[in-house]
């Protein structure tokens, strides 16, 4: 049965959709993510894109899921998309106003780049304290990042849409990781401080050592101290 899509959402005069990516065997994860996304009023009614889990190549399955997103953005001539994977978790105890303001700040940044014809691949709603974080707006705004990314919660722009559509999946390229491929694009940014994590990352066999370290710090010190830690790391660049 074809999914009846809600009308696209509007941010000022830009047209976008919010997407949630999941598989048919992950109903609980999907429900949790829908609940998380509902905390942000700006995001509108999400389009849920479910697929059969690719048990032979999970990275290919992830790649194809993101390909569905950019194909819809292209075919509907949307200005941008907001993408969440089904293990999204916003920071525990985050004030709803701060959460909504952070998402709004990210969307305003994307809007400004799109309207002024500046290139945009993605604005991440979470990042890892690694690689380079170069401030391009005042503290508490947006940073340019290279190896710091979280494809589980992000705004995707026109440049990434065109790039992914024109690229075939190849496990030999960045080990088939769509997030590593995106992180290598020249115009990727992150809201700062970060507001999103990958839920249960510490239990994931695909999590990197840095990912697990970050989750350990969050669980040990709590959200407030972790944000101060990222600010400390940020100030060194």
């Amino acid at each position: 049965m074809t999914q009846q899509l809600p009308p696209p959402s509007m941010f000022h005069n830009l047209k976008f959709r919010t997407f949630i990516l999941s598989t048919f065997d992950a109903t609980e994860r999907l429900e949790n993510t829908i609940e998380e996304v509902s905390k942000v009023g700006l995001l509108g009614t999400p389009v849920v894109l479910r697929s059969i889990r690719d048990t032979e190549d999970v990275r290919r399955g992830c790649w194809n899921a993101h390909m569905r997103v950019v194909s819809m953005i292209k075919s509907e001539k949307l200005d941008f998309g907001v993408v969440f994977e089904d293990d999204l978790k916003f920071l525990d105890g985050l004030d709803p106003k701060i959460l909504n303001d952070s998402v709004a700040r990210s969307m305003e940044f994307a809007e400004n780049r799109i309207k002024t014809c500046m290139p945009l691949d993605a604005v991440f709603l979470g990042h890892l304290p690694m690689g380079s974080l170069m401030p391009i707006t005042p503290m508490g705004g947006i940073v340019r990042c290279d190896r710091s990314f979280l494809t589980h919660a992000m705004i995707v722009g026109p440049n990434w849409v065109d790039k992914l559509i024109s690229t075939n999946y190849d496990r030999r390229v960045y080990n088939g990781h769509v997030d590593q491929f995106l992180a290598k694009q020249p115009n990727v940014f992150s809201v700062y401080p970060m507001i999103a994590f990958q839920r249960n990352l510490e239990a994931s066999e695909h999590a990197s050592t840095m990912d697990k370290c970050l989750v350990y710090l969050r669980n040990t010190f709590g959200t407030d101290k972790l944000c101060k830690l990222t600010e400390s790391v940020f100030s060194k660049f």
Side-chain angles (χ1 to χ4, degrees), residues 63-195:
W63 184 287
N64 289 337
H66 283 272
M67 182 68 79
R68 289 180 69 188
V69 169
V70 297
S71 297
M72 287 186 65
I73 292 173
K74 191 74 171 180
S75 65
E76 292 193 68
K77 298 180 179 179
L78 304 178
D79 294 295
F80 64 90
V82 185
V83 185
F84 298 103
E85 295 187 25
D86 67 2
D87 53 2
L88 160 75
K89 184 74 174 71
F90 289 123
L91 287 173
D92 295 327
L94 194 62
D95 183 283
K97 184 178 186 305
I98 294 176
L99 173 60
N100 279 268
D101 286 350
S102 295
V103 174
R105 182 188 307 132
S106 304
M107 294 173 75
E108 287 166 357
F109 176 78
E111 174 192 31
N112 180 64
R113 291 191 72 87
I114 292 168
K115 284 185 173 179
T116 57
C117 298
M118 297 179 69
L120 175 67
D121 289 299
V123 183
F124 301 114
L125 302 182
H127 62 262
L128 305 179
M130 61 183 292
S132 298
L133 294 175
M134 183 176 71
I136 58 172
T137 61
M139 202 69 157
I142 303 292
V143 296
R144 184 187 291 275
C145 46
D146 52 14
R147 298 187 305 278
S148 305
F149 51 85
L150 180 70
T151 57
H152 299 248
M154 63 180 179
I155 297 168
V156 295
N159 294 78
W160 172 243
V161 169
D162 291 338
K163 183 69 173 181
L164 186 58
I165 284 177
S166 64
T167 305
N168 294 322
Y169 174 76
D170 187 340
R171 194 176 176 87
R172 297 168 297 180
V173 179
Y174 303 117
N175 293 318
H177 280 296
V178 69
D179 51 1
Q180 292 183 20
F181 183 51
L182 174 53
K184 294 297 183 181
Q185 303 311 309
N187 294 283
V188 291
F189 308 88
S190 177
V191 66
Y192 181 84
M194 56 188 166
I195 59 173

